[in-house]
Short mmCIF file of all heavy atoms in Angstrom, two decimals:
data_model
loop_
_atom_site.label_atom_id
_atom_site.label_comp_id
_atom_site.label_asym_id
_atom_site.label_seq_id
_atom_site.Cartn_x
_atom_site.Cartn_y
_atom_site.Cartn_z
N ARG A 1 104.71 -47.60 146.67
CA ARG A 1 103.85 -46.26 146.38
C ARG A 1 104.72 -45.09 146.27
O ARG A 1 104.49 -44.16 145.35
CB ARG A 1 102.83 -46.07 147.57
CG ARG A 1 101.82 -44.93 147.38
CD ARG A 1 100.84 -45.06 148.48
NE ARG A 1 100.04 -46.26 148.39
CZ ARG A 1 98.79 -46.40 147.68
NH1 ARG A 1 98.31 -45.23 147.28
NH2 ARG A 1 98.25 -47.43 147.65
N TYR A 2 105.77 -44.97 147.09
CA TYR A 2 106.72 -43.75 147.13
C TYR A 2 107.37 -43.55 145.76
O TYR A 2 107.86 -42.58 145.46
CB TYR A 2 107.50 -43.72 148.22
CG TYR A 2 108.83 -44.60 148.05
CD1 TYR A 2 110.01 -44.09 147.41
CD2 TYR A 2 108.90 -45.86 148.47
CE1 TYR A 2 111.07 -44.89 147.29
CE2 TYR A 2 110.08 -46.70 148.44
CZ TYR A 2 111.12 -46.14 147.78
OH TYR A 2 112.26 -46.90 147.60
N ALA A 3 107.52 -44.63 144.87
CA ALA A 3 108.28 -44.67 143.71
C ALA A 3 107.60 -44.48 142.40
O ALA A 3 108.03 -44.58 141.33
CB ALA A 3 109.24 -45.89 143.68
N TRP A 4 106.15 -44.39 142.56
CA TRP A 4 105.31 -44.31 141.32
C TRP A 4 105.60 -43.04 140.53
O TRP A 4 105.53 -43.08 139.29
CB TRP A 4 103.84 -44.34 141.71
CG TRP A 4 103.35 -45.63 142.32
CD1 TRP A 4 104.06 -46.80 142.19
CD2 TRP A 4 102.11 -45.83 142.88
NE1 TRP A 4 103.24 -47.78 142.83
CE2 TRP A 4 102.11 -47.20 143.23
CE3 TRP A 4 101.09 -45.14 143.30
CZ2 TRP A 4 100.96 -47.83 143.93
CZ3 TRP A 4 99.99 -45.62 143.91
CH2 TRP A 4 99.93 -46.92 144.28
N GLY A 5 105.88 -42.00 141.16
CA GLY A 5 106.01 -40.75 140.36
C GLY A 5 107.44 -40.21 140.21
O GLY A 5 108.31 -40.98 140.09
N ASP A 6 107.60 -38.96 140.36
CA ASP A 6 108.88 -38.21 140.28
C ASP A 6 109.73 -38.64 141.46
O ASP A 6 109.16 -38.94 142.42
CB ASP A 6 108.71 -36.81 140.09
CG ASP A 6 108.04 -36.42 138.76
OD1 ASP A 6 108.09 -37.28 137.84
OD2 ASP A 6 107.67 -35.30 138.55
N ASP A 7 111.04 -38.48 141.27
CA ASP A 7 112.00 -38.75 142.34
C ASP A 7 111.66 -37.91 143.63
O ASP A 7 111.77 -36.65 143.44
CB ASP A 7 113.35 -38.57 141.85
CG ASP A 7 114.44 -38.95 142.89
OD1 ASP A 7 114.17 -39.15 144.08
OD2 ASP A 7 115.61 -39.13 142.43
N TYR A 8 111.26 -38.48 144.68
CA TYR A 8 110.78 -37.74 145.86
C TYR A 8 111.91 -36.85 146.42
O TYR A 8 111.72 -35.80 147.05
CB TYR A 8 110.11 -38.57 146.91
CG TYR A 8 111.14 -39.41 147.71
CD1 TYR A 8 111.68 -39.03 148.80
CD2 TYR A 8 111.58 -40.78 147.10
CE1 TYR A 8 112.59 -39.82 149.50
CE2 TYR A 8 112.43 -41.55 147.78
CZ TYR A 8 112.98 -41.02 149.02
OH TYR A 8 113.96 -41.84 149.67
N HIS A 9 113.18 -37.34 146.26
CA HIS A 9 114.28 -36.55 146.75
C HIS A 9 114.33 -35.18 146.11
O HIS A 9 114.53 -34.16 146.81
CB HIS A 9 115.66 -37.31 146.41
CG HIS A 9 115.80 -38.64 146.90
ND1 HIS A 9 115.42 -39.71 146.20
CD2 HIS A 9 116.28 -39.07 148.12
CE1 HIS A 9 115.64 -40.82 146.87
NE2 HIS A 9 116.16 -40.49 148.17
N GLU A 10 114.01 -35.12 144.88
CA GLU A 10 114.12 -33.84 144.16
C GLU A 10 112.96 -32.95 144.54
O GLU A 10 113.08 -31.69 144.79
CB GLU A 10 114.16 -34.12 142.71
CG GLU A 10 115.35 -34.80 142.13
CD GLU A 10 116.62 -34.07 142.41
OE1 GLU A 10 116.64 -32.80 142.44
OE2 GLU A 10 117.76 -34.76 142.55
N VAL A 11 111.77 -33.57 144.75
CA VAL A 11 110.62 -32.84 145.09
C VAL A 11 110.76 -32.29 146.46
O VAL A 11 110.43 -31.04 146.69
CB VAL A 11 109.35 -33.74 145.01
CG1 VAL A 11 108.07 -32.86 145.53
CG2 VAL A 11 109.15 -34.24 143.55
N LEU A 12 111.28 -33.00 147.34
CA LEU A 12 111.34 -32.60 148.70
C LEU A 12 112.47 -31.62 148.86
O LEU A 12 112.36 -30.58 149.59
CB LEU A 12 111.77 -33.91 149.57
CG LEU A 12 111.68 -33.84 151.09
CD1 LEU A 12 110.39 -33.37 151.58
CD2 LEU A 12 112.13 -35.06 151.70
N TRP A 13 113.62 -31.87 148.13
CA TRP A 13 114.80 -30.94 148.37
C TRP A 13 114.45 -29.56 147.76
O TRP A 13 114.79 -28.52 148.43
CB TRP A 13 115.98 -31.55 147.55
CG TRP A 13 117.22 -31.00 147.96
CD1 TRP A 13 117.64 -30.68 149.24
CD2 TRP A 13 118.36 -30.75 147.21
NE1 TRP A 13 118.96 -30.30 149.25
CE2 TRP A 13 119.35 -30.32 148.00
CE3 TRP A 13 118.72 -30.91 145.90
CZ2 TRP A 13 120.76 -29.99 147.58
CZ3 TRP A 13 119.96 -30.57 145.34
CH2 TRP A 13 120.98 -30.11 146.21
N SER A 14 113.71 -29.45 146.76
CA SER A 14 113.38 -28.09 146.21
C SER A 14 112.53 -27.31 147.14
O SER A 14 112.66 -26.05 147.33
CB SER A 14 112.47 -28.24 144.82
OG SER A 14 111.24 -28.78 145.11
N LYS A 15 111.66 -28.02 147.96
CA LYS A 15 110.88 -27.25 148.94
C LYS A 15 111.73 -26.81 150.07
O LYS A 15 111.55 -25.84 150.73
CB LYS A 15 109.66 -28.17 149.39
CG LYS A 15 108.58 -28.38 148.22
CD LYS A 15 107.51 -29.23 148.80
CE LYS A 15 106.49 -29.55 147.60
NZ LYS A 15 105.87 -28.18 147.25
N LEU A 16 112.66 -27.90 150.56
CA LEU A 16 113.57 -27.46 151.69
C LEU A 16 114.48 -26.36 151.37
O LEU A 16 114.68 -25.46 152.15
CB LEU A 16 114.39 -28.80 151.94
CG LEU A 16 113.65 -29.97 152.63
CD1 LEU A 16 114.71 -31.12 152.65
CD2 LEU A 16 113.27 -29.60 154.06
N ASN A 17 114.96 -26.27 150.12
CA ASN A 17 115.85 -25.31 149.69
C ASN A 17 115.07 -23.95 149.61
O ASN A 17 115.58 -22.88 149.87
CB ASN A 17 116.32 -25.45 148.25
CG ASN A 17 117.51 -26.53 148.27
OD1 ASN A 17 118.19 -26.83 149.26
ND2 ASN A 17 117.71 -27.21 147.11
N ALA A 18 113.71 -24.00 149.24
CA ALA A 18 112.95 -22.74 149.21
C ALA A 18 112.67 -22.28 150.65
O ALA A 18 112.73 -21.03 151.00
CB ALA A 18 111.60 -23.10 148.66
N LEU A 19 112.59 -23.28 151.68
CA LEU A 19 112.47 -22.80 152.95
C LEU A 19 113.71 -22.27 153.58
O LEU A 19 113.62 -21.26 154.37
CB LEU A 19 111.91 -23.97 153.88
CG LEU A 19 111.68 -23.79 155.35
CD1 LEU A 19 110.56 -22.70 155.50
CD2 LEU A 19 111.19 -25.08 156.05
N GLU A 20 114.79 -22.89 153.22
CA GLU A 20 116.05 -22.27 153.69
C GLU A 20 116.33 -20.89 153.22
O GLU A 20 116.81 -20.09 153.86
CB GLU A 20 117.24 -23.18 153.23
CG GLU A 20 118.61 -22.76 153.64
CD GLU A 20 119.63 -23.66 153.17
OE1 GLU A 20 119.38 -24.84 152.90
OE2 GLU A 20 120.81 -23.20 152.90
N LEU A 21 115.91 -20.58 151.94
CA LEU A 21 116.12 -19.34 151.46
C LEU A 21 115.27 -18.33 152.05
O LEU A 21 115.64 -17.09 152.39
CB LEU A 21 115.71 -19.36 149.91
CG LEU A 21 115.77 -17.94 149.12
CD1 LEU A 21 117.20 -17.39 149.12
CD2 LEU A 21 115.33 -18.11 147.65
N LEU A 22 113.96 -18.67 152.52
CA LEU A 22 113.14 -17.74 153.30
C LEU A 22 113.83 -17.45 154.58
O LEU A 22 113.66 -16.36 155.12
CB LEU A 22 111.76 -18.46 153.42
CG LEU A 22 110.85 -18.47 152.18
CD1 LEU A 22 109.61 -19.28 152.48
CD2 LEU A 22 110.50 -17.16 151.76
N LEU A 23 114.49 -18.41 155.25
CA LEU A 23 115.00 -18.25 156.53
C LEU A 23 116.09 -17.21 156.34
O LEU A 23 116.40 -16.29 157.10
CB LEU A 23 115.70 -19.46 157.03
CG LEU A 23 114.82 -20.44 157.88
CD1 LEU A 23 115.42 -21.73 158.08
CD2 LEU A 23 114.42 -19.81 159.18
N LYS A 24 116.98 -17.31 155.25
CA LYS A 24 118.07 -16.38 155.02
C LYS A 24 117.56 -14.96 154.77
O LYS A 24 118.26 -14.01 155.09
CB LYS A 24 118.87 -16.95 153.78
CG LYS A 24 119.63 -18.13 154.22
CD LYS A 24 120.53 -18.66 153.01
CE LYS A 24 121.26 -19.89 153.34
NZ LYS A 24 122.16 -20.40 152.25
N GLN A 25 116.35 -14.84 154.02
CA GLN A 25 115.72 -13.53 153.81
C GLN A 25 115.27 -12.93 155.13
O GLN A 25 115.19 -11.76 155.38
CB GLN A 25 114.66 -13.65 152.82
CG GLN A 25 115.18 -14.03 151.41
CD GLN A 25 114.04 -14.28 150.45
OE1 GLN A 25 112.91 -14.55 150.85
NE2 GLN A 25 114.39 -14.41 149.19
N LYS A 26 114.76 -13.84 156.13
CA LYS A 26 114.26 -13.38 157.29
C LYS A 26 115.22 -12.91 158.38
O LYS A 26 115.09 -11.99 159.14
CB LYS A 26 113.38 -14.45 157.90
CG LYS A 26 112.68 -14.22 159.28
CD LYS A 26 111.49 -13.17 159.08
CE LYS A 26 110.58 -13.22 160.30
NZ LYS A 26 109.47 -12.31 160.26
N VAL A 27 116.43 -13.62 158.36
CA VAL A 27 117.47 -13.44 159.33
C VAL A 27 118.54 -12.54 158.74
O VAL A 27 119.11 -12.93 157.74
CB VAL A 27 117.95 -14.73 159.87
CG1 VAL A 27 119.08 -14.52 160.93
CG2 VAL A 27 116.94 -15.58 160.47
N SER A 28 118.93 -11.46 159.48
CA SER A 28 119.88 -10.55 158.85
C SER A 28 121.28 -11.06 158.97
O SER A 28 122.08 -10.84 158.14
CB SER A 28 119.75 -9.17 159.55
OG SER A 28 119.92 -9.36 161.04
N GLU A 29 121.66 -11.63 160.17
CA GLU A 29 123.06 -12.10 160.29
C GLU A 29 123.25 -13.41 159.57
O GLU A 29 122.30 -14.26 159.46
CB GLU A 29 123.33 -12.36 161.81
CG GLU A 29 122.68 -13.48 162.48
CD GLU A 29 121.31 -13.16 163.08
OE1 GLU A 29 120.83 -11.98 162.74
OE2 GLU A 29 120.84 -13.77 163.90
N PRO A 30 124.59 -13.62 159.11
CA PRO A 30 124.79 -14.93 158.42
C PRO A 30 124.73 -16.11 159.38
O PRO A 30 124.91 -16.10 160.60
CB PRO A 30 126.25 -14.75 157.94
CG PRO A 30 126.80 -13.68 158.91
CD PRO A 30 125.66 -12.72 159.35
N PHE A 31 124.33 -17.21 158.86
CA PHE A 31 124.29 -18.46 159.62
C PHE A 31 124.50 -19.63 158.76
O PHE A 31 124.37 -19.62 157.47
CB PHE A 31 122.94 -18.54 160.32
CG PHE A 31 121.73 -18.70 159.43
CD1 PHE A 31 121.27 -19.95 158.85
CD2 PHE A 31 121.11 -17.58 158.95
CE1 PHE A 31 120.20 -19.99 158.08
CE2 PHE A 31 120.08 -17.69 158.07
CZ PHE A 31 119.57 -18.88 157.68
N GLY A 32 124.93 -20.80 159.38
CA GLY A 32 125.17 -22.00 158.66
C GLY A 32 123.90 -22.81 158.42
O GLY A 32 123.03 -22.76 159.35
N ALA A 33 123.65 -23.38 157.29
CA ALA A 33 122.49 -24.22 157.09
C ALA A 33 122.78 -25.32 155.98
O ALA A 33 123.54 -25.14 155.15
CB ALA A 33 121.36 -23.44 156.62
N ARG A 34 122.18 -26.41 156.14
CA ARG A 34 122.38 -27.61 155.25
C ARG A 34 121.11 -28.41 155.16
O ARG A 34 120.52 -28.88 156.23
CB ARG A 34 123.57 -28.48 155.64
CG ARG A 34 123.90 -29.49 154.67
CD ARG A 34 125.21 -30.12 154.95
NE ARG A 34 126.26 -29.22 154.92
CZ ARG A 34 127.47 -29.47 155.42
NH1 ARG A 34 127.73 -30.58 156.07
NH2 ARG A 34 128.44 -28.55 155.38
N ALA A 35 120.48 -28.55 153.98
CA ALA A 35 119.22 -29.25 153.83
C ALA A 35 119.42 -30.74 153.29
O ALA A 35 120.36 -30.88 152.30
CB ALA A 35 118.36 -28.65 152.85
N TYR A 36 118.78 -31.73 153.76
CA TYR A 36 118.79 -33.09 153.38
C TYR A 36 117.37 -33.55 153.12
O TYR A 36 116.62 -33.53 153.92
CB TYR A 36 119.58 -33.86 154.46
CG TYR A 36 121.00 -33.68 154.58
CD1 TYR A 36 121.56 -33.24 155.73
CD2 TYR A 36 121.91 -34.04 153.51
CE1 TYR A 36 123.01 -33.02 155.85
CE2 TYR A 36 123.32 -33.84 153.66
CZ TYR A 36 123.82 -33.34 154.87
OH TYR A 36 125.14 -33.12 154.96
N ALA A 37 117.32 -34.17 151.93
CA ALA A 37 115.98 -34.77 151.60
C ALA A 37 116.21 -36.23 151.45
O ALA A 37 116.27 -36.89 150.47
CB ALA A 37 115.59 -34.16 150.16
N ASP A 38 116.33 -36.87 152.69
CA ASP A 38 116.60 -38.35 152.71
C ASP A 38 117.86 -38.64 151.93
O ASP A 38 117.99 -39.68 151.28
CB ASP A 38 115.39 -39.11 152.23
CG ASP A 38 115.56 -40.62 152.56
OD1 ASP A 38 116.32 -40.97 153.46
OD2 ASP A 38 114.95 -41.45 151.82
N THR A 39 118.93 -37.66 152.06
CA THR A 39 120.12 -37.84 151.23
C THR A 39 121.30 -37.74 152.07
O THR A 39 122.38 -37.85 151.44
CB THR A 39 120.16 -36.80 150.10
OG1 THR A 39 119.86 -35.52 150.72
CG2 THR A 39 119.11 -36.98 149.06
N GLY A 40 121.23 -37.51 153.31
CA GLY A 40 122.44 -37.30 154.17
C GLY A 40 122.51 -38.26 155.37
O GLY A 40 121.54 -38.95 155.67
N PRO A 41 123.53 -38.17 156.07
CA PRO A 41 123.76 -39.01 157.36
C PRO A 41 122.98 -38.39 158.48
O PRO A 41 123.61 -37.99 159.52
CB PRO A 41 125.29 -38.92 157.50
CG PRO A 41 125.67 -37.63 156.97
CD PRO A 41 124.82 -37.25 155.80
N VAL A 42 121.71 -38.40 158.37
CA VAL A 42 120.85 -37.75 159.47
C VAL A 42 119.69 -38.68 159.85
O VAL A 42 119.06 -39.31 159.04
CB VAL A 42 120.21 -36.59 158.85
CG1 VAL A 42 119.38 -35.81 159.83
CG2 VAL A 42 121.13 -35.55 158.26
N PRO A 43 119.48 -38.94 161.10
CA PRO A 43 118.35 -39.85 161.70
C PRO A 43 117.08 -39.09 161.67
O PRO A 43 116.60 -38.61 162.66
CB PRO A 43 118.88 -40.10 163.08
CG PRO A 43 119.64 -38.85 163.54
CD PRO A 43 120.22 -38.33 162.25
N GLU A 44 116.48 -38.86 160.35
CA GLU A 44 115.26 -38.14 160.19
C GLU A 44 114.06 -38.53 161.14
O GLU A 44 113.51 -37.62 161.71
CB GLU A 44 114.83 -38.14 158.77
CG GLU A 44 115.77 -37.46 157.73
CD GLU A 44 116.69 -38.48 157.15
OE1 GLU A 44 116.78 -39.59 157.71
OE2 GLU A 44 117.33 -38.03 156.15
N ARG A 45 113.81 -39.74 161.27
CA ARG A 45 112.70 -40.28 162.07
C ARG A 45 112.86 -39.88 163.58
O ARG A 45 111.93 -39.44 164.13
CB ARG A 45 112.50 -41.71 161.91
CG ARG A 45 111.88 -42.04 160.58
CD ARG A 45 111.93 -43.60 160.36
NE ARG A 45 113.24 -44.09 160.08
CZ ARG A 45 113.56 -45.29 159.86
NH1 ARG A 45 112.60 -46.33 159.90
NH2 ARG A 45 114.81 -45.82 159.64
#
């Protein structure tokens, strides 16, 4: 089912990047951030 439509990595990543941008607009000081959409060495579950 997950593969019927568009690549979910891209759909998910675009939303994560948008959320990261909102964080950067909200927080004045610089900070590190990295988004992964089932694409990195991260134990998501």
